[in-house]
């Protein structure tokens, strides 16, 4: 009985590793990693809320994306 449980865990681990490896391979084949943005698009490091507001207001009429990253 214990051998069966151990074997199931081993099969699950091998399947998880194979799935992760396949996902990475497919990601590289589809060029999902290391893609650079088109010219004119840049990620800006904001220093204040006022800077965010002025940049957000300057982009009226075009799609805008606000990405907030926190170390916590």
């Amino acid at each position: 009985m214990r051998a069966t449980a151990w074997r199931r865990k081993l099969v699950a681990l091998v399947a998880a590793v194979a799935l992760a490896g396949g996902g990475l391979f497919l990601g590289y084949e589809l060029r999902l990693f290391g893609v650079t943005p088109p010219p004119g698009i840049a990620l800006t490091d904001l220093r204040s809320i006022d800077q965010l507001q002025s940049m957000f207001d300057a982009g009226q009429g075009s799609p805008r994306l606000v990405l907030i990253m926190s170390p916590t």
Side-chain angles (χ1 to χ4, degrees):
M1 182 114 160
R2 287 183 57 91
T4 304
W6 180 81
R7 186 170 288 149
R8 284 183 188 160
K9 288 181 182 180
L10 181 63
V11 168
L13 178 64
V14 169
V17 169
L19 187 62
L24 284 173
F25 177 76
L26 186 62
Y28 279 110
E29 285 296 313
L30 295 175
R31 302 192 190 281
L32 298 177
F33 305 112
V35 177
T36 57
I41 296 177
L43 183 64
T44 305
D45 188 15
L46 300 174
R47 302 288 180 206
S48 69
I49 298 295
D50 293 331
Q51 186 182 8
L52 171 64
Q53 186 176 5
S54 65
M55 291 181 72
F56 194 84
D57 291 342
Q60 271 186 325
S62 63
R64 297 169 281 195
L65 173 67
V66 177
L67 175 65
I68 300 173
M69 298 179 68
S70 174
T72 58

